Amino acid sequence: MNDRQAEVEAAASAIRGGGLVLMPTETVYGLAADAGNARAVAAVYEAKGRPSFNPLIAHVADLEMARRIARFDDRAEALARRFWPGPLTLVLPAGDTEAVCDLARAGLETVAVRAPAHPLAHALIEAVGGPLVAPSANRSGRPSPTTFADAVEETGAAAAAALDGGPCGIGLESTVVALLDAPRLLRPGAVTRAEIEAVVGPLAEAEADAKRSPGRLARHYAPNAPVRLDARAPEPGEAWLSFGPGAPGPYNLSPTGDLREAAANLFAYLRAADRTGPAGIAVAPIPQEGLGEAINDRLKRAAGFVG
């Protein structure tokens, strides 16, 4: 095993252990984690200081891996065969929802997926054996890092390992296309509108599916039951999302008061509570600091207070 192979295996071991890794791609450097590990995904949000739980791209090694986590139609197959590996992300109906957890999908029934072209990214994904989320490795609101040094400066303190792949060849985040009804361009990038339309025909307006794209603000999954925030106790007929030591279950977001655990449980517990058919869902107060800001942002969207 040469030095580079040893670095990749060490990074894969860190990912399998729930850690984060700085990963080069041809677009920008990403902060990578196991897409199926909600605690690790929560740690990515925490490291980035991301203001809300936007859907994250699941990075795969190849089309075969992509088919396990997303449902491909003929259009998706054609785009993947034309532009993968490369800077094109496809938003598709989700397949294996355990391989890409609720938190990574922002509670949606869709998944964003791409196969990066950078050889180190490909090697790391193959070594892990499953999809990785890898949003740009910058703190939220700052420019995306396109060099190893910039990535280390931005979020290196949160990473258990880092792979230096040199400067990124493209330096711009991937193009994002939704294929849920008519093809829609959600985010422009290195793969151009004209190139996409040459494969799948004219692209529709993006607004209807903008919430499904990384980097776009939106109201994400909202339960059928009305959501009441900052509740001290549930009212008759309400399901109760509690938080902290001594709070009752079964939907205690974190019995230890751990905001990372609360973030990891948030979407699953909202959905589980909603399935009971309650008159409403009451949610205990969540501290605003750290990941609490993002949790409260998501809860406000679920309650309809943020459009």
Side-chain angles (χ1 to χ4, degrees), residues 77-116:
E77 291 272 348
L79 285 172
R81 292 185 183 282
R82 171 66 180 83
F83 297 110
W84 282 4
L88 177 66
T89 295
L90 301 176
V91 177
L92 303 169
D96 182 350
T97 55
E98 292 187 2
V100 183
C101 67
D102 259 356
L103 189 60
R105 290 181 288 104
L108 298 167
E109 299 301 326
T110 55
V111 63
V113 58
R114 93 172 179 101

Side-chain angles (χ1 to χ4, degrees), residues 27-295:
T27 57
V28 300
Y29 272 81
L31 187 61
D34 178 354
N37 183 334
R39 292 292 295 270
V41 174
V44 170
Y45 283 113
E46 186 176 45
K48 284 179 61 64
R50 208 173 179 106
S52 62
F53 293 144
N54 296 325
L56 302 180
I57 297 170
H59 294 71
V60 297
D62 50 33
L63 184 52
E64 180 182 358
M65 185 180 291
R67 290 194 190 107
R68 298 203 297 268
I69 63 171
R71 298 200 297 273
F72 279 70
D73 61 14
D74 289 344
R75 303 169 303 173
E77 291 272 348
L79 285 172
R81 292 185 183 282
R82 171 66 180 83
F83 297 110
W84 282 4
L88 177 66
T89 295
L90 301 176
V91 177
L92 303 169
D96 182 350
T97 55
E98 292 187 2
V100 183
C101 67
D102 259 356
L103 189 60
R105 290 181 288 104
L108 298 167
E109 299 301 326
T110 55
V111 63
V113 58
R114 93 172 179 101
H118 198 289
L120 275 180
H122 183 269
L124 178 60
I125 298 165
E126 283 215 317
V128 173
L132 305 180
V133 296
S136 56
N138 53 290
R139 296 282 297 171
S140 186
R142 290 177 53 80
S144 299
T146 58
T147 68
F148 181 69
D150 285 346
V152 170
E153 180 181 354
E154 285 288 324
T155 54
L163 296 174
D164 184 353
C168 299
I170 293 175
L172 182 70
E173 288 86 352
S174 63
T175 304
V176 180
V177 174
L179 294 167
L180 305 173
D181 41 43
R184 300 177 190 274
L185 179 64
L186 304 189
R187 184 175 74 184
V191 178
T192 67
R193 176 185 291 270
E195 289 174 318
I196 296 163
E197 290 185 334
V199 178
V200 297
L203 294 167
E205 292 301 315
E207 285 78 3
D209 288 322
K211 68 180 182 180
R212 303 181 187 278
S213 176
R216 302 293 293 270
L217 296 178
R219 183 170 184 258
H220 301 314
Y221 170 83
N224 292 317
V227 175
R228 185 167 63 91
L229 305 180
D230 296 322
R232 296 298 172 180
E235 295 178 352
E238 286 185 326
W240 178 229
L241 262 64
S242 57
F243 176 80
Y251 308 121
N252 188 333
L253 291 169
S254 174
T256 63
D258 182 344
L259 289 171
R260 188 178 296 182
E261 181 181 24
N265 287 331
L266 179 62
F267 290 108
Y269 283 14
L270 268 175
R271 185 173 282 112
D274 198 37
R275 287 197 191 103
T276 67
I281 300 174
V283 185
I286 306 295
Q288 184 68 8
E289 69 268 9
L291 271 180
E293 181 181 1
I295 294 169

